[in-house]
Structure formats: structure tokens, C-alpha cells
Amino acid sequence: MNKVILMGRLTRDPEVRYSAGESSTAVARYTLAVDRRFRRNNDGEQTADFIGCVAFGRSAEFAEKYFRQGLKVIVTGRIQTGSYTNRDGQRIYTTDVVVEDQEFAESKAASESHMSGGFQAAPAPAPSAPAGDGFMNIPDGIDEELPFN
């Protein structure tokens, strides 16, 4: 079985290209910085692995539209290895995670707070009045403060 689950932050915006041909397919490449479980040395410095991910089709288009540098995401997929010969005639070996599923690992407010340098979550806005269908409209940014016990 070849199954990978990663949670990390994007090191930069995804790079998206489209394949040639009649039905072009989107191909998104991005790198996740995934913290290691244990600290490397005695000074408590956190270490991370930088793992290349590649998404195809609708997943690639989703990454292009919503993923930005610093965003924390969860990716599931499979490891794929490959090789090619570069211009100097050297054999280059590659290892990528082929994305099968990807999702946000934190709320939009927490993500924006992290990317702006702050680490406190934004206060949740007050819920609005009930809509005509009897359900309350829940405003954006209230993801972590839902009124459930």
C-alpha cells in the first residue's frame, strides 16, 4: 500500500501549468514544509522536511485558486518516484507526492493571522438574524466559535 498523509504549510504559491493537447489538464506543483515530530538538537530548534507535491485536474485548479504561501493544508496521496536526464547528461531522481485529496488545516481567520505575523485568532462576529427559511445565517470567520455545547 502506498498512502501518504501530510500536514504542513506551503513554502510558496503553487506553480500551475497546463498540459498540451486537445484537452489540456492543469498540473499544480507546490512544496509543503512539514515539521518533524521531534526536535533535532538540544537547543529546541524545530526542523522541517520540504516535500514536493503535484496535483492534477480539478485538484490543481483548486490549489491555483485557493492555496497561497504560508497556508496550512492537509494532503493525502501516494509517493511516486521518477528520473530524467538533465542537460549535462546527469541522471536526476525525483520523489513527489501525487495528491489524491487536499484540504485546509485551519480556518481562514487563523491562516490570515499567521500570514500577517500575528498569532491570535480574530474575534468572531456576532451571528446575524434568522433568514426567511428559519435558519440563522452564519457569517464568515466564525468557524472556530460555533455555538454548540
Side-chain angles (χ1 to χ4, degrees):
M1 176 187 286
N2 183 355
K3 185 80 167 177
V4 176
I5 303 171
L6 303 171
M7 181 170 65
R9 295 195 182 273
L10 275 79
T11 60
R12 63 182 187 283
D13 292 353
E15 178 183 313
V16 180
R17 296 183 180 175
Y18 289 85
S19 63
E22 289 181 27
S23 58
S24 65
T25 302
V27 179
R29 291 189 172 277
Y30 54 87
T31 302
L32 289 183
V34 179
D35 287 335
R36 291 187 179 171
R37 188 173 200 155
F38 301 103
R39 304 203 185 272
R40 174 180 275 179
N41 43 25
N42 294 336
D43 64 1
E45 181 180 319
Q46 182 71 45
T47 57
D49 292 304
F50 297 89
I51 301 170
C53 300
V54 59
F56 297 94
R58 294 184 61 101
S59 293
E61 292 168 359
F62 180 87
E64 179 181 33
K65 187 172 183 180
Y66 297 109
F67 285 6
R68 296 291 173 254
Q69 179 179 351
L71 181 69
K72 191 174 198 178
V73 297
I74 298 172
V75 170
T76 58
R78 60 186 168 82
I79 291 182
Q80 181 171 300
T81 60
S83 64
Y84 64 93
T85 305
N86 69 7
R87 292 179 182 161
D88 299 331
Q90 295 177 317
R91 193 78 169 160
I92 304 296
Y93 295 93
T94 63
T95 303
D96 290 309
V97 171
V98 177
V99 175
E100 294 170 357
D101 188 36
Q102 57 193 3
E103 57 189 78
F104 301 108
E106 63 187 1
S107 69
K108 187 174 182 180
S111 174
E112 288 172 354
S113 173
H114 175 79
M115 285 187 247
S116 66
F119 292 99
Q120 295 190 7
S128 61
D133 58 0
F135 291 96
M136 181 185 347
N137 291 325
I138 299 176
D140 293 336
I142 197 167
D143 300 348
E144 295 180 10
E145 302 268 334
L146 290 177
F148 300 115
N149 292 331

